[in-house]
Amino acid sequence: MTDVQRETALYIDGRWVPGGGADLEVVDPATEEVTGVITQASTDDVETAVAAARAAFPGWAATSVAERAAVLRRVRDVIAERAEVFAGLIQRELGAPPKVARALHVDTPVAVIDATIDALERFAFTSEIGNSLIRHEPVGVVAAITPWNLPLHQVVVKVIPALAAGATVVLKPAGLTPLAAFELARAFDSAGLPAGVFNLVPGSGRVVGDLLTRHPGVDQVSFTGSTPVGRQIAGVAAETLKRVTLELGGKSASVVLADADDELFAKAVKITVANCFLNGGQTCTALSRLIVPESRIAQAEELAAAAAAKYAPGARLGPLVSAEQRKEVESYLDPASGGSDAVTVYGGAELPERGYYVSPTVISRVDPDSRLAQEEVFGPVLAILAAGSDDEAVAIANNSIYGLGGAVWGADDDAALAVAARLQTGQVDVNGGAFNPGAPFGGFKQSGTGREIGAYGIADVCEIKAVQR
Ligand code: NAP
Ligand code: MG
């Protein structure tokens, strides 16, 4: 066995304290070996953490924007300095290929912190409407509950805007990938964040996550994960009428319009495949449905198959996070999941002997109402669908309970923007528009409620008060 990362202490009230819960093993999905052991929080530890966050709240809320920006800038610098350490931990807990571990998992959250500090320095905490002074005030204690697919990024997009607003935080990271969160706690500690402002309580969702969701000392639950668990959390949080921010699943569509020339068409297919397979297909905004004009389906199949062939499992394509997740994803590899006319145009690639890998897979001529077109796969499986017209393409794209990401490709920018406006989704990239670390992030429909990152992320953890004079 390789060396094992041991984390036996929890970060509560500015100190490292022994965890009172059971130990939990962290498995490297690329080797199937134990790569870490953490001690989980007991329910007493959760109580201590919530009390610490409550006690720290008034002092932190009273700090100036400049003070909070200065601390967050130091946190950002520590993460940037320790980027290779973070990348190494995420490589271990997620099996991420090294290049992806650095760029997607560390450099992107650092960019998000920069954008959030920038937003903080411009944020209008007070404004006026007539004789009213409008105040944005931090909500209090935010419980952050995060998933395994982006172990640092998913934490950063919740915790940094909350701290920027002047709220305090109790974090429960995903049990499958808790290691990066410990390193983040060390970064907060060395940056001089005051005691109790950030607290780390790893543990299972059913115990620690549920306790935080019920706790009267928590003012807002910010959750990212699956839609079923999000639904459950919204229900439990309703008992204390907590505010909830939910970032849930997606089934995002990449729509290629009829006027795309061959060059744009090829670019659209290539970028859609890359986006769909990013992080082993385990991103919530994955463009997992490619919608093309009926007359060009054969062209799309050929291009997508060629692009998919470049994602060799174990090299460019990482594993899925767990054996359970692999089993889930395998249930979509049969083209029948895409309806009776669906065909596999790429699949069955050679897999490494160890690790929770599946072949990158492209299934075409998929029925828009089929399981493959409707359900989030969370693995490297792309569905290609044919549309008889641009209007039909929009209707197919919107035929989903989800509305998180999306893309539009067309020769006429204005026409493509007009289609973007018709998509019922929180993010749309037109003709390859780049990820913006300062833009609001969140979903329409059952992809969630609330927005993260930048100014919208800060506003999301604020109460609004009107003071009349
Ligand atoms: P999950 O099972 O919903 O878990 C997410 C987090 O919630 C984990 O920390 C989990 O804890 C915790 N949890 C589970 N049950 C809970 C409960 N009853 N009360 C409170 N907390 C609970 O999701 P996942 O399997 O980790 O992640 C995959 C899913 O997340 C996919 O569907 C994906 O689309 C979605 N996702 C969405 C976004 C987005 O931004 N919209 C981003 C990433 C992922 P433990 O697992 O540690 O027990
Ligand atoms: Mg789960």
Side-chain angles (χ1 to χ4, degrees):
M1 197 193 287
T2 48
D3 62 320
V4 168
Q5 178 85 9
R6 287 185 190 279
E7 302 283 4
T8 53
L10 313 177
Y11 190 68
I12 297 176
D13 204 12
R15 285 187 301 272
W16 289 98
V17 297
D23 281 359
L24 179 73
E25 290 183 339
V26 181
V27 172
D28 181 339
T31 63
E32 304 182 34
E33 283 177 13
V34 174
T35 189
V37 178
I38 66 151
T39 304
Q40 302 180 93
S42 64
T43 54
D44 282 353
D45 294 327
V46 177
E47 293 294 341
T48 310
V50 172
R54 282 236 74 80
F57 173 62
W60 183 244
T63 55
S64 67
V65 164
E67 285 172 87
R68 294 200 297 281
V71 177
L72 294 180
R73 209 165 263 126
R74 289 199 295 276
V75 171
R76 178 252 182 243
D77 289 346
V78 177
I79 297 173
E81 277 159 26
R82 299 189 57 77
E84 288 303 321
V85 174
F86 278 100
L89 290 170
I90 293 168
Q91 227 173 294
R92 296 165 82 130
E93 58 190 357
L94 200 61
K99 226 176 117 188
V100 177
R102 179 64 199 265
L104 172 68
H105 292 287
V106 188
D107 297 349
T108 303
V110 168
V112 166
I113 300 176
D114 281 335
T116 302
I117 295 169
D118 191 52
L120 168 63
E121 290 176 330
R122 296 157 193 266
F123 195 83
F125 281 96
T126 58
S127 58
E128 287 180 39
I129 298 177
N131 67 320
S132 299
L133 186 65
I134 310 300
R135 293 170 50 83
H136 275 74
E137 297 183 358
V139 65
V141 175
V142 174
I145 302 176
T146 55
W148 45 261
N149 68 328
L150 301 161
L152 179 62
H153 179 81
Q154 299 288 17
V155 172
V156 158
V157 297
K158 295 189 183 308
V159 172
I160 299 296
L163 298 182
T168 57
V169 173
V170 179
L171 168 66
K172 189 214 88 65
L176 287 170
T177 61
L179 299 179
F182 284 89
E183 193 58 30
L184 181 66
R186 283 190 275 276
F188 282 130
D189 193 57
S190 61
L193 190 74
V197 172
F198 170 84
N199 306 273
L200 175 64
V201 287
S204 81
R206 252 178 251 128
V207 178
V208 173
D210 185 67
L211 178 53
L212 288 169
T213 307
R214 291 179 194 283
H215 204 296
V218 170
D219 300 287
Q220 180 161 343
V221 178
S222 181
F223 167 82
T224 298
S226 60
T227 293
V229 173
R231 216 172 269 133
Q232 189 178 341
I233 284 179
V236 172
E239 289 165 29
T240 43
L241 285 177
K242 268 183 194 54
R243 296 157 54 113
V244 284
T245 301
L246 303 172
E247 301 289 352
L248 310 174
K251 190 73 201 181
S252 301
S254 182
V255 177
V256 189
L257 301 176
D259 70 357
D261 62 21
D262 282 346
E263 195 186 329
L264 184 63
F265 193 89
K267 184 178 170 192
V269 175
K270 194 175 155 202
I271 291 181
T272 301
V273 169
N275 179 296
C276 182
F277 293 175
L278 183 68
N279 205 36
Q282 304 167 117
T283 66
C284 44
T285 49
L287 297 171
S288 52
R289 293 182 296 156
L290 173 62
I291 305 173
V292 301
E294 219 159 42
S295 59
R296 295 173 92 171
I297 189 116
Q299 189 187 356
E301 288 168 351
E302 198 178 313
L303 289 163
K310 299 202 170 110
Y311 287 79
R316 200 160 165 198
L317 189 74
L320 300 175
V321 72
S322 65
E324 290 71 34
Q325 201 63 22
R326 177 175 57 187
K327 198 163 166 237
E328 282 276 314
V329 172
E330 279 171 348
S331 76
Y332 297 95
L333 300 182
D334 181 340
S337 72
S340 51
D341 295 338
V343 290
T344 302
V345 299
Y346 188 84
E350 199 182 325
L351 304 179
E353 247 167 63
R354 320 251 357 225
Y356 308 125
Y357 291 94
V358 296
S359 172
T361 300
V362 179
I363 298 174
S364 187
R365 304 176 196 242
V366 169
D367 177 341
D369 293 318
S370 65
R371 198 172 148 250
L372 179 61
Q374 291 294 322
E375 296 178 4
E376 180 176 53
V377 175
F378 233 57
V381 184
L382 176 68
I384 304 180
L385 297 89
S389 67
D390 289 349
D391 282 344
E392 198 196 338
V394 171
I396 292 171
N398 287 336
N399 172 19
S400 174
I401 61 164
Y402 296 115
L404 194 53
V408 181
W409 307 85
D412 180 327
D413 277 331
D414 290 337
L417 283 170
V419 170
R422 294 169 64 195
L423 296 184
Q424 296 156 355
T425 180
Q427 301 261 321
V428 188
D429 302 336
V430 174
N431 288 332
F435 173 74
N436 176 352
F441 183 89
F444 284 27
K445 300 192 273 185
Q446 293 189 33
S447 286
T449 166
R451 291 295 179 272
E452 299 190 311
I453 306 186
Y456 287 84
I458 293 171
D460 198 66
V461 288
C462 286
E463 290 283 13
I464 297 167
K465 181 183 285 175
V467 181
Q468 284 64 243
R469 305 169 283 183

